[in-house]
Amino acid sequence: MDTRIETKCLHAGYEPKNGEPRQLPIYQSTTFKYDSSDHMGALFDLEAEGYFYTRLQNPTNDLVASKLAELEGGVAAMLTSSGQAANFFAIFNICEAGDHFIASSSIYGGTYNLFGVTMAKLGIECTFVDQDLPIEELDKYFKPNTKAVFGETITNPTCTILDFEKFATLAHNHGVPLIVDNTFATPVNCQPFKYGVDIVTHSTTKYLDGQGVSVGGAIVDSGNFDWMANKDKFPGLCTPDESYHGITYAEKFGKGAYITKATAQLMRDFGCIQSPQNAFYINLGMETLHVRMQRHCENAQKVAEFLESQDKVAWIHYAGLKNDKYHDLAEKYLENGTCGVLCFAVKGDRDTAIKFMDNLKLATIATHVADARTCLLHPASHTHRQLTDEQLIEAGISPDLIRYSVGLENADDLIADLKQALETI
Ligand SMILES: *Cc1c(COP(=O)(O)O)cnc(C)c1O
């Protein structure tokens, strides 16, 4: 039966048969038993479907991944141990030493470091670009060895919105896929595949979990990118893999090629699998995702409107605000709302910002975001404290930026809290 996203949040993925457990079972098992040696051999040749070792795949994880694939409108998905692992795999699955890719310079700091520093050590070069440049300008960053383009639907922490259609056109003109981290929007508020995005990643640690209990990540493939049409660029997918008796992923697995390769090669070799227990928690979170996202957005809108009206607030970015630079893009791609995260600054220096934050009573200072409880962070004095103001600006983060993640509390209580803290500065 074709259902809407709210119904899918509850019912997609695990569908128990007669007499089976109603809730998703946790397959807490490292290994799986087979009756014949031949069957086991066929699994190792990727000729038969089935599980052999939880370092690569586990039934609980796969059921949760298939729910996420349905929510995103994709054909295949996999869970990883963290969002970092998901973004690493998403790129490393198609890039090797000597390759190049392009990423928005406004992406999450952890991903920025992974792409700019750690991947460089593997011989993979990333060029960071201003995502608001016109397509003709962005075009100039492509090289013959460029293999992918990467951005975030809503950037963390600067809350800008990616123009999917511009980036999809750009990537496809050069025969490479567009990969988008959809963590902040979630599939409830945005399904990037509708706008030409080829692969989506998630830090499931955020809204998908929603309660701050488990670190995890995911990769979802739309199945739309034609690897074989660009076979010279993607030898890993389009030429035989000798470690599996010479199968060619794009030929043998068609639309499932990208996720199958990431599972069979990268998960086998790196083992960044999500534990089945954590996959279970994420499934619980996804069951209420549609209800929670709506409330996160309503609350964030009220808080943003309050902050916008305050004299002591220097600036605020929230795409739900009519005057926001990204409001039109948000209306186009995020019809149900954006997310609960906003950023703003209070007038004054770093010390004023710190005083304001220390005086908040409800919102807690935490290295977390997109949680049921309101939390906040001042990158200049927390995650990025080693950087000077100049370096912060280079990284696209204003030294006065406060990232405020609106939770599920009563919005009036959050506003009262902000109000009393503003009065202290
Ligand atoms: C948190 C985050 C990540 C990293 O995810 P972890 O689960 O912490 O490894 C990646 N992308 C975005 C947008 C994030 O917010």
Side-chain angles (χ1 to χ4, degrees):
M1 185 180 156
D2 193 26
T3 53
R4 293 172 182 78
I5 195 143
E6 294 82 357
T7 310
K8 287 191 170 74
C9 281
L10 286 146
H11 294 283
Y14 175 57
E15 289 169 22
K17 296 189 199 72
N18 190 39
E20 289 184 348
R22 183 64 200 89
Q23 184 51 289
L24 172 74
I26 303 172
Y27 289 87
Q28 193 70 43
S29 181
T30 58
T31 189
F32 303 84
K33 173 203 171 261
Y34 289 94
D35 289 340
S36 81
S37 160
D38 272 359
H39 193 153
M40 193 70 161
L43 288 173
F44 275 99
D45 283 348
L46 303 182
E47 289 299 337
E49 274 190 42
Y51 297 90
F52 46 102
Y53 192 45
T54 289
R55 172 162 26 90
L56 287 84
Q57 250 183 321
N58 173 282
T60 306
N61 293 27
D62 279 359
L63 290 165
V64 179
S66 70
K67 171 178 284 192
L68 186 57
E70 269 200 61
L71 296 181
E72 288 283 4
V75 296
M78 68 195 287
L79 301 187
T80 58
S81 53
S82 67
Q84 287 297 104
N87 284 329
F88 173 59
F89 274 22
I91 296 293
F92 199 61
N93 203 29
I94 49 174
C95 286
E96 54 188 51
D99 285 344
H100 168 255
F101 68 105
I102 292 170
S104 159
S105 59
S106 309
I107 56 174
Y108 168 65
T111 316
Y112 192 93
N113 198 70
L114 166 67
F115 289 177
V117 180
T118 301
M119 301 221 29
K121 291 181 187 163
L122 298 173
I124 298 169
E125 187 200 1
C126 178
T127 303
F128 294 102
V129 300
D130 174 353
Q131 65 182 45
D132 292 335
L133 287 175
I135 196 159
E136 309 77 50
E137 289 295 316
L138 290 166
D139 219 52
K140 294 179 187 156
Y141 292 102
F142 281 81
K143 304 181 187 192
N145 61 342
T146 303
K147 300 296 168 73
V149 179
F150 184 96
E152 286 172 5
T153 304
I154 305 171
T155 57
N156 175 5
T158 46
C159 300
T160 63
I161 311 276
L162 190 75
D163 188 343
F164 293 137
E165 284 171 5
K166 177 175 79 179
F167 272 83
T169 305
L170 186 73
H172 297 159
N173 281 348
H174 290 272
V176 302
L178 173 59
I179 305 174
V180 166
D181 181 332
N182 197 32
T183 298
F184 271 16
T186 84
V188 166
N189 281 350
C190 182
Q191 294 162 337
F193 296 153
K194 287 184 183 162
Y195 309 103
V197 174
D198 301 289
I199 292 151
V200 154
T201 62
H202 281 281
S203 164
T204 62
T205 317
K206 314 296 165 56
Y207 289 122
L208 296 189
D209 168 322
Q211 320 278 333
V213 297
S214 54
V215 172
I219 310 174
V220 189
D221 185 11
S222 68
N224 292 334
F225 192 80
D226 189 349
W227 306 104
M228 285 310 265
N230 301 283
K231 81 197 270 191
D232 295 343
K233 282 196 199 308
F234 304 106
L237 280 154
C238 303
T239 57
D241 179 355
E242 294 312 329
S243 68
Y244 286 107
H245 289 243
I247 56 156
T248 298
Y249 294 99
E251 278 172 358
K252 189 167 172 68
F253 299 103
K255 286 181 180 294
Y258 177 87
I259 293 293
T260 305
K261 177 179 178 290
T263 302
Q265 283 182 347
L266 302 187
M267 218 37 122
R268 176 196 63 191
D269 296 347
F270 291 98
C272 330
I273 191 99
Q274 189 168 122
S275 76
Q277 181 86 37
N278 279 358
F280 174 85
Y281 291 134
I282 286 163
N283 185 59
L284 277 188
M286 281 198 282
E287 289 185 354
T288 57
L289 185 65
H290 54 300
V291 184
R292 290 186 289 109
M293 286 313 288
Q294 193 179 351
R295 179 62 74 87
H296 278 296
C297 291
E298 281 168 18
N299 278 0
Q301 186 71 29
K302 287 184 192 161
V303 168
E305 284 170 11
F306 165 75
L307 287 170
E308 192 183 33
S309 73
Q310 296 302 298
D311 284 342
K312 288 181 180 170
V313 171
W315 54 264
I316 169 164
H317 295 318
Y318 184 66
L321 292 173
K322 288 211 169 50
N323 295 327
D324 192 82
K325 186 177 167 195
Y326 297 95
H327 187 68
D328 292 346
L329 282 177
E331 296 260 282
K332 180 170 174 185
Y333 298 126
L334 297 120
E335 290 166 30
N336 302 331
T338 56
C339 66
V341 185
L342 52 86
C343 61
F344 68 98
V346 290
K347 288 179 186 160
D349 53 13
R350 272 193 201 206
D351 289 342
T352 317
I354 290 165
K355 185 170 183 206
F356 164 74
M357 294 196 306
D358 285 345
N359 280 315
L360 285 166
K361 295 192 166 75
L362 249 183
T364 51
I365 298 172
T367 317
H368 192 38
V369 65
D371 186 80
R373 288 151 293 244
T374 296
C375 55
L376 80 162
L377 188 85
H378 182 221
S381 39
H382 305 136
T383 47
H384 296 65
R385 62 180 295 129
Q386 73 283 11
L387 303 190
T388 62
D389 282 6
E390 290 71 33
Q391 287 172 319
L392 276 172
I393 290 164
E394 245 172 66
I397 295 167
S398 158
D400 56 356
L401 181 146
I402 294 170
R403 182 184 74 190
Y404 188 91
S405 171
V406 183
L408 301 175
E409 298 91 345
N410 183 302
D412 292 336
D413 290 340
L414 295 173
I415 290 169
D417 184 32
L418 288 163
K419 203 168 174 188
Q420 63 79 23
L422 283 172
E423 278 161 13
T424 65
I425 58 169

